[in-house]
Amino acid sequence: GDSVTQMEGPVTLSEEAFLTINCTYTATGYPSLFWYVQYPGEGLQLLLKATKADDKGSNKGFEATYRKETTSFHLEKGSVQVSDSAVYFCALSRVSSGSARQLTFGSGTQLTVLP
Amino acid sequence: ETGVTQSPTHLIKTRGQQVTLRCSSQSGHNTVSWYQQALGQGPQFIFQYYREEENGRGNFPPRFSGLQFPNYSSELNVNALELDDSALYLCASSSTSVDEQYFGPGTRLTVT
């Protein structure tokens, strides 16, 4: 079945440091790939997405490129801020049972940015 | 544009009881999905509703059931609650024309 593997956390960085969170996936066909962010006590917010190979999703300074040859979708940001502290989830979407388009998530990576 | 809303925010139930969680989808969205997020883990897909019918289900037992109403809002019902059902339950709405899902704030269920 489908699966998503994320870099183990937690990750602690100083403000303005470079961020990389690794994500690899296993899926049949051509899934869409997503990064979601979850702030303490809240639901998930869509951060960015890519729907086909070599697409780059970007939002709020975060970027990720859909690499089919390495089945990866690593999240990067050039200069993190304290406000980026949250849990980040990599996910894939594919039509599965019935006609449902379900999301399969990784286990999440806790990011803490220190001032 | 109104986002996804869920109620209640928190709920405490006793093992063996039944619970109903509610979700209102984002304006313009006709599909609702439910996910269970245990503490420290990623969300797990429970099921999805489209046109008031379940059109996909994850690896959850039949005591997890749902409904979708003509206005696209939805309910998640869980019977015979078990301690392991304690989790954050997330509702997500989407449209058939796009593949991203938008999440509500969740309902925190505690089973004692």
Side-chain angles (χ1 to χ4, degrees), chain B residues 20-70:
Chain B
T20 298
L21 311 181
R22 294 178 175 83
C23 170
S24 292
S25 61
Q26 184 169 313
S27 176
H29 287 179
N30 55 15
T31 302
V32 174
S33 304
W34 287 91
Y35 293 82
Q36 180 195 66
Q37 185 180 18
L39 198 61
Q41 298 182 23
Q44 298 289 319
F45 176 71
I46 303 175
F47 45 54
Q48 184 178 90
Y49 276 81
Y50 170 64
R51 290 185 174 179
E52 303 176 48
E53 297 284 336
E54 183 183 298
N55 71 335
R57 188 177 187 93
N59 189 27
F60 281 82
R63 60 189 184 85
F64 286 78
S65 63
L67 287 172
Q68 186 182 31
F69 301 99

Side-chain angles (χ1 to χ4, degrees), chain A residues 74-98:
Chain A
H74 305 320
L75 182 68
E76 296 182 337
K77 187 176 186 182
S79 175
V80 294
Q81 306 299 313
V82 172
S83 56
D84 294 327
S85 298
V87 180
Y88 291 81
F89 291 94
C90 183
L92 68 83
S93 172
R94 193 173 65 80
V95 175
S96 57
S97 60

Side-chain angles (χ1 to χ4, degrees), chain A residues 9-33:
Chain A
V11 174
T12 302
L13 296 173
S14 297
E15 204 164 25
E16 299 183 2
F18 184 85
L19 169 71
T20 299
I21 300 178
N22 290 337
C23 170
T24 57
Y25 69 90
T26 301
T28 56
Y30 302 93
S32 295
L33 302 175

Side-chain angles (χ1 to χ4, degrees), chain A residues 32 34 36 38 42-44 46 49 51 89 93 97-103 105-107, chain B residues 33 35 37 40-43 45 48 55-57 88 90 98-105:
Chain A
S32 295
F34 303 85
Y36 281 86
Q38 187 173 36
E42 298 184 11
L44 277 70
L46 177 62
K49 75 168 192 177
T51 57
F89 291 94
S93 172
S97 60
S99 58
R101 181 172 282 279
Q102 70 176 75
L103 287 165
F105 287 88
S107 56
Chain B
S33 304
Y35 293 82
Q37 185 180 18
Q41 298 182 23
F45 176 71
Q48 184 178 90
N55 71 335
R57 188 177 187 93
L88 181 67
L90 296 164
V98 294
D99 59 13
E100 57 256 38
Q101 298 183 19
Y102 294 89
F103 285 80

